[in-house]
Amino acid sequence: MRPGILFSVVASVTLTALAVAYAQVAAPGSWKSRAIPEAQGEVKEVDGKKMQVRYKGAPFTGREDFSAWRTYAYTDGRPPPPVSKVSMPTNVKGDPKLGRKLFMDRGKGPCTGCHLIQGDDVWPAGNIGPDLSVYGDRLLPDEFVYQMIYDPRLFFPNTAMPPWGTVGIFKPEEIVHILTFLKTEKGNPPFVPSPEKDPDRNPFIRKKTPYYFGDNLDPTNNPAILAAENAQALWMKRGPAGKACADCHRDGFEKSMKGVATRYPKYLAKYRRVMSIEDFLTVHAPETTGIEMLSESADNVNMAILIKMQSNGMPVNLDLKSPEMKAALGRGKTLYEKKVGMRNHACADCHTNAPGKGGDKFLGGRLLDDLESGLTNHFPVWRTSQGSVWDIRKRIQWCMLPLGMNYLAADSVEYAELELYLTSFAHGKPMNVPGIR
């Protein structure tokens, strides 16, 4: 039996029940974030406009606030956008050229992230959704196609496709242009599987070659190794309390930290919540040495790498028997499946290998990881596209923004329990930190 299935104990529950269950294991009151300012998810008013404080370079930084759309917060009891059916405009003449432009608009979708259409300029296309390159040959009624784009939940309640019209990403007249364009996508002869024969351009026949950046534990190849080396000095540094990590862990980090990371995330009774190594450092370091290790700070991430490297090659070994851990795991599963944001997406829509979902499929040119492969046992990682080290929480936060949702604090209880659920699928798999992506 798959580890994630074996340890998943939650059934469908209401948000109210989630909040009650959360209160049973969380400290009284809300958890006060111990993260750097841009990782706290705080929303401020700037020049009369609400704006989330975000990482430099993050999507929508300084441009858009998504407070109107529901989040993963346990206190957020807002429902998803209601399923809508509307009348198709009759006073709009569809323009296929404009429709194609809208279909490929990166500011709105692009729809080609999930669907293949014809044209040499379509690169890269994904295959989470069906191939639309001969969609016009199906001769589907305009009314059906319009409603399918406006709100596909009318026909497929658990679809990964956003309710484009309901949430206002596409205007009614724009959807008319899109359906007019789709009607022009035809094959010769009709109903050919796809006119695109190039295996690099067609995501349905594209090779699923994993990205290879060399040996991730070679310091000449992975800059994140240097981050761990930087943490060695921090390990020996005495803080305002007059102590260093080395004063309590006298066997050195090589011996004293061996196997520790395999057991995280874990429930810590002192703090009455689940914590990752990174979460624990935010409270343990200042309590023992007086040194602040804020979540998403360089000191925090570097120390986490140093600690986790001492467990490399050892299997993830979570304690999933205690009532607190079982309850947290269940809540994490519910978060994983919860639809959030303007696009009404869930983590499960991209990282579950099931019909209509994105796991082991292409989102544009990027192959999405499948949850069951284990997504966390190589984090923190060196992000080649960003030229920096990321832990799993920063990866989660950046995932939220394209969904049209403000992210929570990096050290939030919600993200800790979501990470626990993700890590349950890495249970028994060897740790290999830091990774390269």
CSV table of all heavy atoms in Angstrom, one decimal, residues 234-276:
chain,number,residue,atom,x,y,z
A,234,LEU,N,28.0,29.4,12.0
A,234,LEU,CA,26.9,29.7,12.8
A,234,LEU,C,26.7,28.7,14.0
A,234,LEU,O,26.3,29.1,15.1
A,234,LEU,CB,25.6,29.8,12.0
A,234,LEU,CG,24.3,30.3,12.7
A,234,LEU,CD1,24.5,31.7,13.2
A,234,LEU,CD2,23.2,30.3,11.7
A,235,TRP,N,27.0,27.5,13.7
A,235,TRP,CA,26.9,26.4,14.7
A,235,TRP,C,27.8,26.7,15.9
A,235,TRP,O,27.5,26.4,17.0
A,235,TRP,CB,27.3,25.1,14.0
A,235,TRP,CG,27.2,23.9,14.9
A,235,TRP,CD1,28.3,23.4,15.6
A,235,TRP,CD2,26.1,23.0,15.1
A,235,TRP,NE1,27.9,22.3,16.3
A,235,TRP,CE2,26.6,22.0,16.0
A,235,TRP,CE3,24.8,22.9,14.7
A,235,TRP,CZ2,25.8,21.0,16.5
A,235,TRP,CZ3,24.0,21.9,15.1
A,235,TRP,CH2,24.5,20.9,16.0
A,236,MET,N,29.0,27.3,15.6
A,236,MET,CA,29.9,27.5,16.6
A,236,MET,C,29.8,28.9,17.3
A,236,MET,O,30.4,29.2,18.3
A,236,MET,CB,31.4,27.4,16.0
A,236,MET,CG,31.7,26.1,15.4
A,236,MET,SD,31.6,24.7,16.5
A,236,MET,CE,32.9,25.1,17.6
A,237,LYS,N,28.9,29.7,16.7
A,237,LYS,CA,28.8,31.1,17.2
A,237,LYS,C,28.0,31.2,18.5
A,237,LYS,O,26.9,30.7,18.5
A,237,LYS,CB,28.1,32.0,16.1
A,237,LYS,CG,27.9,33.4,16.4
A,237,LYS,CD,27.2,34.2,15.3
A,237,LYS,CE,27.0,35.6,15.7
A,237,LYS,NZ,26.3,36.4,14.6
A,238,ARG,N,28.5,31.9,19.4
A,238,ARG,CA,27.8,32.2,20.7
A,238,ARG,C,26.9,33.4,20.5
A,238,ARG,O,27.4,34.4,20.1
A,238,ARG,CB,28.8,32.3,21.9
A,238,ARG,CG,29.4,31.0,22.3
A,238,ARG,CD,30.1,31.2,23.6
A,238,ARG,NE,30.4,29.9,24.2
A,238,ARG,CZ,31.5,29.2,23.9
A,238,ARG,NH1,32.3,29.6,23.0
A,238,ARG,NH2,31.7,28.0,24.5
A,239,GLY,N,25.7,33.3,20.9
A,239,GLY,CA,24.7,34.4,20.8
A,239,GLY,C,24.7,35.2,22.1
A,239,GLY,O,25.5,35.0,23.0
A,240,PRO,N,23.7,36.1,22.2
A,240,PRO,CA,23.5,36.9,23.4
A,240,PRO,C,23.3,36.1,24.7
A,240,PRO,O,23.6,36.6,25.7
A,240,PRO,CB,22.2,37.7,23.0
A,240,PRO,CG,22.2,37.8,21.5
A,240,PRO,CD,22.7,36.4,21.1
A,241,ALA,N,22.9,34.9,24.6
A,241,ALA,CA,22.7,34.1,25.8
A,241,ALA,C,24.0,33.4,26.2
A,241,ALA,O,24.1,32.7,27.3
A,241,ALA,CB,21.7,33.0,25.5
A,242,GLY,N,25.1,33.6,25.5
A,242,GLY,CA,26.4,33.1,25.8
A,242,GLY,C,26.6,31.7,25.4
A,242,GLY,O,27.6,31.1,25.8
A,243,LYS,N,25.7,31.1,24.6
A,243,LYS,CA,25.8,29.7,24.2
A,243,LYS,C,25.8,29.6,22.7
A,243,LYS,O,25.2,30.5,22.0
A,243,LYS,CB,24.7,28.9,24.8
A,243,LYS,CG,24.9,28.6,26.3
A,243,LYS,CD,23.8,27.6,26.7
A,243,LYS,CE,24.0,27.2,28.2
A,243,LYS,NZ,23.0,26.2,28.6
A,244,ALA,N,26.3,28.6,22.2
A,244,ALA,CA,26.3,28.2,20.7
A,244,ALA,C,25.6,26.8,20.6
A,244,ALA,O,25.5,26.1,21.6
A,244,ALA,CB,27.7,28.2,20.1
A,245,CYS,N,25.2,26.5,19.4
A,245,CYS,CA,24.7,25.2,19.2
A,245,CYS,C,25.6,24.1,19.6
A,245,CYS,O,25.3,23.1,20.2
A,245,CYS,CB,24.4,25.0,17.7
A,245,CYS,SG,23.2,26.1,16.9
A,246,ALA,N,26.9,24.3,19.4
A,246,ALA,CA,28.0,23.3,19.7
A,246,ALA,C,28.1,23.1,21.2
A,246,ALA,O,28.5,22.0,21.7
A,246,ALA,CB,29.3,23.8,19.2
A,247,ASP,N,27.6,24.1,22.1
A,247,ASP,CA,27.7,23.9,23.5
A,247,ASP,C,26.8,22.8,24.1
A,247,ASP,O,27.1,22.1,25.0
A,247,ASP,CB,27.5,25.2,24.2
A,247,ASP,CG,28.6,26.2,24.0
A,247,ASP,OD1,29.7,25.8,23.8
A,247,ASP,OD2,28.2,27.4,23.9
A,248,CYS,N,25.7,22.7,23.4
A,248,CYS,CA,24.7,21.6,23.9
A,248,CYS,C,24.9,20.3,23.1
A,248,CYS,O,24.7,19.3,23.6
A,248,CYS,CB,23.3,22.2,23.7
A,248,CYS,SG,22.9,23.5,24.9
A,249,HIS,N,25.2,20.5,21.8
A,249,HIS,CA,25.3,19.3,20.9
A,249,HIS,C,26.8,19.0,20.8
A,249,HIS,O,27.5,19.3,19.8
A,249,HIS,CB,24.7,19.5,19.6
A,249,HIS,CG,23.2,19.9,19.7
A,249,HIS,ND1,22.3,19.0,20.0
A,249,HIS,CD2,22.6,21.1,19.5
A,249,HIS,CE1,21.1,19.6,20.0
A,249,HIS,NE2,21.3,20.9,19.7
A,250,ARG,N,27.4,18.4,21.8
A,250,ARG,CA,28.9,18.4,21.9
A,250,ARG,C,29.5,17.3,21.1
A,250,ARG,O,30.8,17.3,20.9
A,250,ARG,CB,29.3,18.1,23.4
A,250,ARG,CG,28.8,19.3,24.3
A,250,ARG,CD,29.3,19.2,25.7
A,250,ARG,NE,29.0,20.4,26.5
A,250,ARG,CZ,29.4,20.6,27.8
A,250,ARG,NH1,30.1,19.7,28.4
A,250,ARG,NH2,29.0,21.6,28.4
A,251,ASP,N,28.7,16.5,20.5
A,251,ASP,CA,29.3,15.5,19.5
A,251,ASP,C,29.5,16.0,18.2
A,251,ASP,O,30.0,15.3,17.3
A,251,ASP,CB,28.4,14.3,19.4
A,251,ASP,CG,28.4,13.4,20.7
A,251,ASP,OD1,29.4,13.5,21.4
A,251,ASP,OD2,27.4,12.7,20.9
A,252,GLY,N,29.2,17.3,18.0
A,252,GLY,CA,29.4,17.9,16.7
A,252,GLY,C,28.1,17.7,15.8
A,252,GLY,O,27.3,16.8,16.1
A,253,PHE,N,27.9,18.5,14.8
A,253,PHE,CA,26.7,18.4,14.0
A,253,PHE,C,26.7,17.0,13.3
A,253,PHE,O,25.6,16.5,13.0
A,253,PHE,CB,26.5,19.5,13.1
A,253,PHE,CG,27.7,19.8,12.1
A,253,PHE,CD1,27.8,19.0,11.0
A,253,PHE,CD2,28.6,20.7,12.4
A,253,PHE,CE1,28.8,19.2,10.1
A,253,PHE,CE2,29.7,21.0,11.5
A,253,PHE,CZ,29.8,20.2,10.4
A,254,GLU,N,27.9,16.5,12.9
A,254,GLU,CA,27.9,15.2,12.2
A,254,GLU,C,27.2,14.1,13.0
A,254,GLU,O,26.4,13.3,12.4
A,254,GLU,CB,29.3,14.8,11.8
A,254,GLU,CG,30.0,15.8,10.9
A,254,GLU,CD,30.8,16.8,11.7
A,254,GLU,OE1,30.6,17.0,12.9
A,254,GLU,OE2,31.7,17.4,11.1
A,255,LYS,N,27.5,14.0,14.2
A,255,LYS,CA,26.9,12.9,15.0
A,255,LYS,C,25.6,13.3,15.7
A,255,LYS,O,24.7,12.5,15.7
A,255,LYS,CB,27.9,12.5,16.1
A,255,LYS,CG,29.2,11.8,15.6
A,255,LYS,CD,30.1,11.3,16.7
A,255,LYS,CE,31.3,10.5,16.2
A,255,LYS,NZ,32.1,10.0,17.3
A,256,SER,N,25.6,14.5,16.3
A,256,SER,CA,24.4,14.8,17.1
A,256,SER,C,23.2,15.1,16.2
A,256,SER,O,22.0,14.9,16.7
A,256,SER,CB,24.7,16.1,17.9
A,256,SER,OG,25.1,17.2,17.1
A,257,MET,N,23.4,15.4,15.0
A,257,MET,CA,22.2,15.7,14.1
A,257,MET,C,21.9,14.5,13.1
A,257,MET,O,21.0,14.6,12.4
A,257,MET,CB,22.5,16.9,13.2
A,257,MET,CG,22.5,18.2,14.0
A,257,MET,SD,20.9,18.7,14.8
A,257,MET,CE,21.3,18.3,16.5
A,258,LYS,N,22.7,13.4,13.2
A,258,LYS,CA,22.4,12.3,12.4
A,258,LYS,C,21.1,11.7,12.6
A,258,LYS,O,20.7,11.3,13.8
A,258,LYS,CB,23.5,11.2,12.6
A,258,LYS,CG,23.4,10.1,11.6
A,258,LYS,CD,24.6,9.1,11.8
A,258,LYS,CE,24.5,7.9,10.8
A,258,LYS,NZ,25.7,7.0,11.0
A,259,GLY,N,20.3,11.6,11.6
A,259,GLY,CA,18.9,11.0,11.7
A,259,GLY,C,17.8,11.9,12.2
A,259,GLY,O,16.7,11.5,12.1
A,260,VAL,N,18.2,13.1,12.7
A,260,VAL,CA,17.2,14.0,13.3
A,260,VAL,C,16.2,14.4,12.2
A,260,VAL,O,15.0,14.4,12.5
A,260,VAL,CB,17.9,15.2,13.9
A,260,VAL,CG1,16.9,16.3,14.3
A,260,VAL,CG2,18.7,14.8,15.1
A,261,ALA,N,16.7,14.8,11.1
A,261,ALA,CA,15.7,15.4,10.1
A,261,ALA,C,14.8,14.3,9.5
A,261,ALA,O,13.7,14.7,8.9
A,261,ALA,CB,16.6,16.0,8.9
A,262,THR,N,15.1,13.1,9.6
A,262,THR,CA,14.2,12.0,9.1
A,262,THR,C,12.8,12.0,9.8
A,262,THR,O,11.9,11.5,9.3
A,262,THR,CB,14.8,10.6,9.2
A,262,THR,OG1,14.9,10.3,10.6
A,262,THR,CG2,16.2,10.6,8.5
A,263,ARG,N,12.8,12.6,11.0
A,263,ARG,CA,11.5,12.6,11.8
A,263,ARG,C,10.7,13.8,11.7
A,263,ARG,O,9.7,13.9,12.4
A,263,ARG,CB,11.9,12.3,13.3
A,263,ARG,CG,12.7,11.0,13.5
A,263,ARG,CD,12.9,10.7,14.9
A,263,ARG,NE,13.8,11.6,15.6
A,263,ARG,CZ,15.1,11.5,15.7
A,263,ARG,NH1,15.7,10.4,15.1
A,263,ARG,NH2,15.9,12.3,16.3
A,264,TYR,N,11.1,14.7,10.9
A,264,TYR,CA,10.3,16.0,10.7
A,264,TYR,C,9.7,16.0,9.3
A,264,TYR,O,10.2,15.4,8.4
A,264,TYR,CB,11.3,17.2,10.8
A,264,TYR,CG,11.7,17.6,12.2
A,264,TYR,CD1,12.7,16.8,12.9
A,264,TYR,CD2,11.1,18.6,12.9
A,264,TYR,CE1,13.0,17.2,14.2
A,264,TYR,CE2,11.4,19.0,14.2
A,264,TYR,CZ,12.4,18.2,14.8
A,264,TYR,OH,12.7,18.6,16.1
A,265,PRO,N,8.5,16.7,9.3
A,265,PRO,CA,7.8,17.5,10.3
A,265,PRO,C,7.3,16.6,11.5
A,265,PRO,O,6.9,15.4,11.2
A,265,PRO,CB,6.6,18.2,9.6
A,265,PRO,CG,7.0,18.1,8.2
A,265,PRO,CD,7.8,16.9,8.0
A,266,LYS,N,7.2,17.1,12.7
A,266,LYS,CA,6.7,16.4,13.8
A,266,LYS,C,5.9,17.3,14.7
A,266,LYS,O,6.1,18.5,14.7
A,266,LYS,CB,7.9,15.7,14.5
A,266,LYS,CG,8.8,16.7,15.2
A,266,LYS,CD,10.0,16.0,15.8
A,266,LYS,CE,9.7,15.2,17.0
A,266,LYS,NZ,10.9,14.6,17.7
A,267,TYR,N,5.1,16.6,15.6
A,267,TYR,CA,4.3,17.4,16.6
A,267,TYR,C,5.2,17.6,17.8
A,267,TYR,O,5.7,16.7,18.3
A,267,TYR,CB,3.1,16.6,16.9
A,267,TYR,CG,2.2,17.3,18.0
A,267,TYR,CD1,1.4,18.4,17.7
A,267,TYR,CD2,2.3,16.9,19.3
A,267,TYR,CE1,0.7,19.1,18.6
A,267,TYR,CE2,1.5,17.6,20.3
A,267,TYR,CZ,0.7,18.7,19.9
A,267,TYR,OH,0.0,19.3,20.9
A,268,LEU,N,5.3,18.9,18.2
A,268,LEU,CA,6.1,19.2,19.4
A,268,LEU,C,5.1,19.8,20.5
A,268,LEU,O,4.5,20.8,20.3
A,268,LEU,CB,7.1,20.3,19.0
A,268,LEU,CG,8.2,19.8,18.0
A,268,LEU,CD1,9.1,21.0,17.6
A,268,LEU,CD2,9.0,18.7,18.6
A,269,ALA,N,5.0,19.0,21.5
A,269,ALA,CA,4.0,19.3,22.6
A,269,ALA,C,4.3,20.7,23.2
A,269,ALA,O,3.3,21.4,23.6
A,269,ALA,CB,4.1,18.2,23.6
A,270,LYS,N,5.6,21.1,23.3
A,270,LYS,CA,5.9,22.4,23.9
A,270,LYS,C,5.2,23.5,23.2
A,270,LYS,O,4.8,24.5,23.8
A,270,LYS,CB,7.4,22.6,23.9
A,270,LYS,CG,7.8,23.9,24.5
A,270,LYS,CD,9.3,24.0,24.5
A,270,LYS,CE,9.8,25.4,25.1
A,270,LYS,NZ,11.2,25.5,25.2
A,271,TYR,N,5.1,23.4,21.9
A,271,TYR,CA,4.6,24.5,21.0
A,271,TYR,C,3.2,24.1,20.6
A,271,TYR,O,2.5,24.9,19.9
A,271,TYR,CB,5.5,24.8,19.9
A,271,TYR,CG,6.9,25.1,20.3
A,271,TYR,CD1,7.9,24.1,20.1
A,271,TYR,CD2,7.2,26.3,20.9
A,271,TYR,CE1,9.2,24.3,20.6
A,271,TYR,CE2,8.5,26.5,21.3
A,271,TYR,CZ,9.5,25.5,21.2
A,271,TYR,OH,10.8,25.8,21.6
A,272,ARG,N,2.7,22.9,20.9
A,272,ARG,CA,1.4,22.5,20.5
A,272,ARG,C,1.0,22.6,19.1
A,272,ARG,O,-0.1,23.0,18.7
A,272,ARG,CB,0.3,23.2,21.4
A,272,ARG,CG,0.5,23.0,22.9
A,272,ARG,CD,-0.6,23.7,23.7
A,272,ARG,NE,-1.9,23.1,23.4
A,272,ARG,CZ,-3.1,23.6,23.8
A,272,ARG,NH1,-3.1,24.8,24.4
A,272,ARG,NH2,-4.2,23.0,23.5
A,273,ARG,N,2.0,22.2,18.2
A,273,ARG,CA,1.8,22.3,16.8
A,273,ARG,C,2.8,21.4,16.1
A,273,ARG,O,3.8,21.1,16.7
A,273,ARG,CB,1.9,23.7,16.2
A,273,ARG,CG,3.2,24.4,16.5
A,273,ARG,CD,3.4,25.6,15.6
A,273,ARG,NE,3.7,25.2,14.2
A,273,ARG,CZ,4.0,26.0,13.2
A,273,ARG,NH1,4.0,27.3,13.5
A,273,ARG,NH2,4.3,25.6,12.0
A,274,VAL,N,2.5,21.1,14.8
A,274,VAL,CA,3.5,20.4,14.0
A,274,VAL,C,4.5,21.4,13.5
A,274,VAL,O,4.2,22.6,13.2
A,274,VAL,CB,2.8,19.8,12.8
A,274,VAL,CG1,3.8,19.3,11.7
A,274,VAL,CG2,1.9,18.6,13.2
A,275,MET,N,5.8,21.0,13.4
A,275,MET,CA,6.9,21.9,13.0
A,275,MET,C,7.8,21.1,12.1
A,275,MET,O,8.1,19.9,12.3
A,275,MET,CB,7.7,22.4,14.2
A,275,MET,CG,7.0,23.5,15.0
A,275,MET,SD,8.1,24.1,16.3
A,275,MET,CE,7.3,25.7,16.7
A,276,SER,N,8.4,21.9,11.1
A,276,SER,CA,9.5,21.4,10.3
A,276,SER,C,10.8,21.7,11.0
A,276,SER,O,10.7,22.5,12.0
A,276,SER,CB,9.4,22.0,8.9
A,276,SER,OG,9.7,23.4,9.0
